[in-house]
Amino acid sequence: MDSLEWKVGGQQGEGVDSTGEIFAKMLFRHGHYVTTYKQFMSRIKGGHTNYKIRATSYSTHHAGDGLDILLALDDDSYKVNKHELNNGALVLFDGEVSIEKTEGHTLVHLPLKQIAKDIGNPLAKNMIALGVSGALVSLPQEEFFALIEDQFAKKGTKIIEANKTAVEKGYELVAEHLSDSVRHLNAPDAEKRMLISANQAVAFGSLMAGCRFLSAYPITPASEIMEWLSHELPKVGGTIMQVEDEIAGITFAIGASFAGARSMTSTSGPGLSLKTEALGMAGMSETPIVIVDSQRAGPSTGLPTKFEQSDLQHVLHASHGEFPRIVLYPSTIEDSFYLAAEAFNMAENYQCPVFLLLDLGMSMNKSTIMPIDAKRVAVNRGKVLTESDLEQLKENFQRYQFSSDGISPRAIPGTPGGVHVTSSNEHAESGYITEEPDIRTKIMEKRMRKIENATCQNPFYVSNPEADTMVVTMGSTRGAVEEAIRAMSSEGASLGQLNIQQLHPLPTDALRPYLADKKVIVVESNYEGQLLNWLKQHLPIHDRSYSIRQYDGNPFRVDTIASQLKELV
Amino acid sequence: MATVKDFKGDVSTWCPGCGDFSVMAALQRAAVNMGLEPHQMSVISGIGCSSKISEYTRTYGFHGIHGRSLPVAQGAKMANPELTVIASGGDGDGYGIGVGHFIHAVRRNIDITYLVMDNQIYGLTKGQTSPRSQHDFVTKTTAKGNKEYPVDPISTALSNGGTFIAQGYSGDVKNLTEIIEKAISHKGFSLVNVFSPCVTFNKINTYNFFKDNLVHIDQAFSSRTEAINYVKEHNGLVTGIVYEEEQQDFQSQLGIDWNMHVSSGDMDADMIHEIEKTFM
Ligand SMILES: Cc1ncc(C[n+]2csc(CCOP(=O)(O)OP(=O)(O)O)c2C)c(N)n1
Ligand code: SF4
């Protein structure tokens, strides 16, 4: 077996999340590439929730369409997830021992609760089920024990022993009742890798890029960024602040950036809506700032725990008037780290707001990535003047000095010789308010010119560039499309894929050759086809472009994309 | 040593006689008296006539958006604890759009000074009612008289744990200068609400009105309750330092060894590996 698709489902508050986390880590440590997807509801207790894991012997960016093993801890688990079961799948329920074959899969009842009670640990039901799962794919029991020792180190030997016993019981159950179903899961190798979510990768990347201040307000699915940094930032002399609302979130960060710290704010759609006036202030005052928008399904409070990619239009245009901004959207969890780090360089180099888009599909879910390559990250603070630079200036320092590239040198408060006003009102080179038409025109042009040539290291990824049809994606949709194309290519279709990571300014010239004279199909999770519309504004693809869209709150399935692609090519 | 001249910024466009001139003069004088240099200071404001103080006072100023001077100022102080940070603006700015930030700034106690020029009207938008306009006040938007009652910044700050709460008056620059110096020296959040008449749009709360009605407090109250009662009894028309209390400010409570400076050299390899391990 080269791949395993596994899911645990249950009522919220029943430990589904931690059960999934442990099994994901187990598979990861055993050398598999792991991709996860959590489904949950916007409530704390009650309601069905599930945690999907796909373990493969090759790297993927998609948690898969099917299921080989389903741990059904509540009644809904089977009902809600039945349609995903692969042929030959095994569904495990609690109850008196029985094994029944139906509709191509096997329903197995095992006395999980009873055994948990017998071993004096009623909470161990999930651990027994994990033992069953591990045994079914021949994971070595000793590795399971090692993981338990790590995972519960803080909780003491009693808990560790109790969990080990529970896992052991799971292995025994399989030996006794399910030895026919045991399979061997090939692990590629035990090379060092990381299992990480995009939220964590962004937080990590920001930290390493010298971010020292984050101010934000909690919101799903972005909160984890703030939570993670709250532990790490104080170690390097920085801090996070959970402030009163999103407006404070962005304005605190703007203040901190103005005063010299690399700073950021993180949020999701509703929070971003609140931030928009201040976004314009960052643009007009030319204050660097990184804003993470971890997208969820909207509008308004929408589906707060569901997947969608519908904030693109908003981040491209949010706030009144016109000002330069940069919009980045990593297409893998690995790139979330590097693009986050780069976002800070771009914010300071171009002295403007930089959006880092994520989506719930990657924010809260994990994937195996290679260890961090520090050589790919360098800190570049742009045109910041030191005290001695300022001393050498013959004339007074002009904060918004006209320059050919549109970028004016900055002086950080506290530095002698650089006193000026940073202004959100239209201003002259000095920073002082002006309404003089000629100056307005010139300074507007200076500001807008700044980002004309702005580009990150990997503004897009393209595969099979010579293909007849190019499928375009952004964010986590990349994974499902990659697999759909892989499946179709074996059937002889000529399909390429373009994952755009820099959406503004769109690298139009660089993209043109990959989209010229061929069919263009854009796959995105929103109603209006926002990415397609954005491309149409820049490239002449109107008469040969097609759209695949979904907005039901769930990520794309490989099979639905494949069947729609087949219709279009 | 800097002089008042060093703190002069852009040429002002305030109406002749506007109370804001005196507030600015008092701030500049206080800075000079305290031996501050313009580059060591940051005056951060929102929008309104009064908020132009960040353009007219020469410091590392920030003229921002309506109602948001406080979070920008607190962020700046978080990033650079050495900087003397003054948040400043009007009563509309601070107690209208910004009232949420105000209450949170009070209870958070970051070491900045908040200087509010309270003219009890909207000046820059030409004479509409403000959250500080008194009941029954007739303005462009309250032809039949204001049906609301004014926000009370002093008792709000008192009841939300403010550690330095004072009120000044544009007609008494000497006293106001003293108050501002003490406010800046206070370690923690300090509120200085200043009655600063709008000579163009507010024909009720005029210099004469304040001359006749203001009561001076010589000695700050030592209890919040007493202070609140006194301020209420006098309908808020008091000047002086109402309350002061020593308390650790927000940043010292965090106990972080602040280092917001970012090296442009290599990333810390040890740190990367330590963190990587948590994901393995
Ligand atoms: C979001 C927003 N809403 C409205 C305005 C318009 N506006 C500018 S100044 C102002 C009122 C200012 O009143 P106040 O803060 O009391 O200052 P003053 O001009 O009286 O000194 C308003 C409503 C704005 N700039 N921004
Ligand atoms: S309108 Fe009022 S507040 Fe504004 S400058 Fe004139 S007098 Fe001052």
Side-chain angles (χ1 to χ4, degrees), chain A residues 25 193 195 200 207-208 210 212 237 244 247 251-252 255-256 372 414-415 418-420 422-425 432-433, chain B residues 9-10 39 55 59-63 68 71-72 74-76 101 104 108 257 259-260 262 267 271 276 279-280:
Chain A
K25 198 143 195 184
R193 289 183 283 256
L195 183 62
Q200 291 166 335
L207 179 78
M208 294 330 299
R212 291 293 174 267
E244 57 267 27
I247 300 174
T251 44
F252 261 82
I372 297 309
T415 319
V419 176
H420 67 273
T422 289
S423 186
S424 182
N425 272 86
Y432 288 147
I433 292 183
Chain B
D10 200 11
H39 73 266
E55 305 256 348
T59 69
Y60 272 102
F62 197 123
H63 192 180
R68 315 298 172 195
V72 175
Q74 291 170 90
H101 301 308
H104 293 286
R108 190 175 285 129
D257 200 1
N259 180 14
M260 297 273 186
V262 181
M267 296 198 301
M271 187 166 181
E276 273 180 343
F279 295 113
M280 287 177 170

Side-chain angles (χ1 to χ4, degrees), chain A residues 60-365:
Chain A
T60 73
H61 306 293
H62 183 61
D65 290 352
L67 281 179
D68 300 311
I69 297 177
L70 172 64
L71 294 189
L73 300 179
D74 69 348
D75 296 340
D76 283 346
S77 289
Y78 184 50
K79 255 188 285 172
V80 173
N81 301 294
K82 193 174 162 188
H83 67 285
E84 292 181 2
L85 293 172
N86 294 332
N87 214 2
L90 220 134
V91 188
L92 183 69
F93 302 91
D94 178 54
E96 291 203 3
V97 178
S98 73
I99 297 175
E100 175 200 346
K101 282 207 186 327
T102 167
E103 299 174 51
H105 48 264
T106 308
L107 308 180
V108 179
H109 284 79
L110 291 173
L112 306 172
K113 250 192 215 157
Q114 188 54 48
I115 296 176
K117 240 192 234 160
D118 292 348
I119 60 173
N121 183 7
L123 296 175
K125 187 180 88 179
N126 297 3
M127 288 308 277
I128 300 173
L130 278 183
V132 172
S133 305
L136 283 171
V137 289
S138 328
L139 294 178
Q141 213 178 129
E142 309 72 55
E143 273 183 42
F144 232 123
F145 289 170
L147 177 72
I148 287 171
E149 277 169 19
D150 276 10
Q151 201 78 9
F152 298 99
K154 283 199 189 114
K155 301 206 166 163
T157 43
K158 238 175 122 182
I159 302 267
I160 291 177
E161 288 313 315
N163 281 315
K164 280 187 188 172
T165 310
V167 165
E168 226 163 33
K169 291 286 172 201
Y171 275 79
E172 282 168 19
L173 280 172
V174 171
E176 202 175 321
H177 305 289
L178 291 167
S179 52
D180 289 354
S181 307
V182 173
R183 276 166 250 184
H184 182 76
L185 185 60
N186 299 326
D189 53 58
E191 205 187 325
K192 267 205 173 140
R193 289 183 283 256
M194 294 161 65
L195 183 62
I196 190 168
S197 69
N199 275 344
Q200 291 166 335
V202 160
F204 189 5
S206 303
L207 179 78
M208 294 330 299
C211 171
R212 291 293 174 267
F213 187 79
L214 172 139
S215 41
Y217 189 80
I219 187 166
T220 306
S223 300
E224 192 183 9
I225 298 172
M226 166 166 55
E227 288 161 5
W228 193 87
L229 284 170
S230 74
H231 295 118
E232 301 303 326
L233 274 176
K235 297 179 189 165
V236 290
T239 193
I240 68 116
M241 289 199 71
Q242 182 186 321
V243 288
E244 57 267 27
D245 55 34
E246 280 86 352
I247 300 174
I250 185 168
T251 44
F252 261 82
I254 289 171
S257 175
F258 159 70
R262 282 200 152 183
S263 63
M264 73 190 289
T265 186
S266 52
T267 193
S268 187
L272 188 65
S273 293
L274 279 171
K275 290 177 199 286
T276 51
E277 191 201 13
L279 170 68
M281 169 166 81
M284 184 60 143
S285 66
E286 307 202 34
T287 311
I289 176 90
V290 174
I291 304 159
V292 182
D293 174 22
S294 196
Q295 298 168 86
R296 61 190 217 182
S300 192
T301 38
L303 301 167
T305 61
K306 297 287 179 183
F307 175 74
E308 207 167 82
Q309 303 176 301
S310 52
D311 290 356
L312 177 61
Q313 291 226 47
H314 188 62
V315 298
L316 290 172
H317 305 292
S319 207
H320 56 286
E322 301 160 305
F323 57 89
R325 70 186 80 201
I326 292 168
V327 180
L328 308 175
Y329 191 174
S331 62
T332 65
I333 290 182
E334 187 155 354
D335 264 34
S336 303
F337 176 91
Y338 297 105
L339 268 187
E342 239 187 309
F344 288 90
N345 284 347
M346 294 183 93
E348 287 204 308
N349 277 329
Y350 301 105
Q351 301 177 15
C352 72
V354 176
F355 283 104
L356 189 67
L357 283 176
L358 298 177
D359 54 58
L360 186 132
M362 61 215 290
S363 283
M364 304 199 55
N365 297 300

